[in-house]
Amino acid sequence: MLHLILLHGALGHSEVFEPFKKELSKYFTVHTPLFSGHGDREIPETRITIKKYTEELQEYINQEKLNNVYIFGHSMGGYAALCYALKHSENINSIMTLGTKFDWTEEQATKESKMLNPDVIAEKVPKYAELLKKQHGTKWKQLLPEIAEMMIDLGKNPPLKGNLATIHIPVQIMVGDKDNMVTLEESVEVYRSLPSAKLAVLPDTKHPIDKVRPDLLLNMMKDFWNLL
């Protein structure tokens, strides 16, 4: 069987892939690792950075002895996948990203990070606070500032900037037309910077993966990976 890794986004969880696993399991052995700090995984003693998450992906691939692996990454998961491909493309068949933010600047990251105040979320968006607690346990309030710091670090040192032309494996960049975090313009720019890329804009699609129609995304995957 071919191996497919599904990577969740920052503050996300591997359970978001449940609606897709049954169908994808017809074609792949499906892997849904959790990044540290998420789900039942502890927050690392060292700071959370995109470098740390890229290393965790590398460790998982090495541990499972995976080769010619297919990767789908939502949001930050897509960023980590491409960072991994910068150094280890020999292990990867291809990558699909959805709703991945590429245009990180210090100003933008600081603005985004301010929205991750746990007390404000608990007061203003209680349903989201409950979801975070359900997915990550009581440590969700500690995880938020860690992710905020990761965003600021990304703004200061975006590792993909200027390096995309070195990734020669097939990549499909996808963005929802109603994504309020990722612009179509930044997605197009990255698509044009990658030597072997495709671009897809998903209609009537917002940023959270649980708002994406499973049949739409599955059809995109089947088309890109020639599973039809």
Side-chain angles (χ1 to χ4, degrees), residues 80-142:
L82 288 172
C83 286
Y84 176 80
L86 285 176
K87 293 183 179 176
H88 305 282
S89 60
E90 72 284 350
N91 269 351
I92 304 176
N93 176 287
S94 50
I95 293 173
M96 295 185 88
T97 72
L98 172 62
T100 295
K101 177 145 202 71
F102 297 105
D103 183 24
W104 287 103
T105 63
E106 207 170 336
E107 181 187 4
Q108 150 110 52
T110 303
K111 182 183 164 191
E112 291 279 351
S113 69
K114 283 178 181 169
M115 295 162 68
L116 297 182
N117 182 312
D119 295 327
V120 172
I121 287 175
E123 183 189 343
K124 300 276 176 73
V125 204
K127 278 190 175 176
Y128 184 45
E130 278 302 311
L131 176 66
L132 289 171
K133 187 178 178 183
K134 175 178 165 284
Q135 290 182 333
H136 313 298
T138 53
K139 70 177 184 301
W140 74 272
K141 286 191 174 184
Q142 286 78 51

Side-chain angles (χ1 to χ4, degrees), residues 138-161:
T138 53
K139 70 177 184 301
W140 74 272
K141 286 191 174 184
Q142 286 78 51
L143 181 59
L144 282 163
E146 290 278 348
I147 295 298
E149 281 299 315
M150 181 187 79
M151 287 179 169
I152 291 167
D153 186 57
L154 258 178
K156 290 177 181 173
N157 308 291
L160 291 179
K161 196 168 186 180

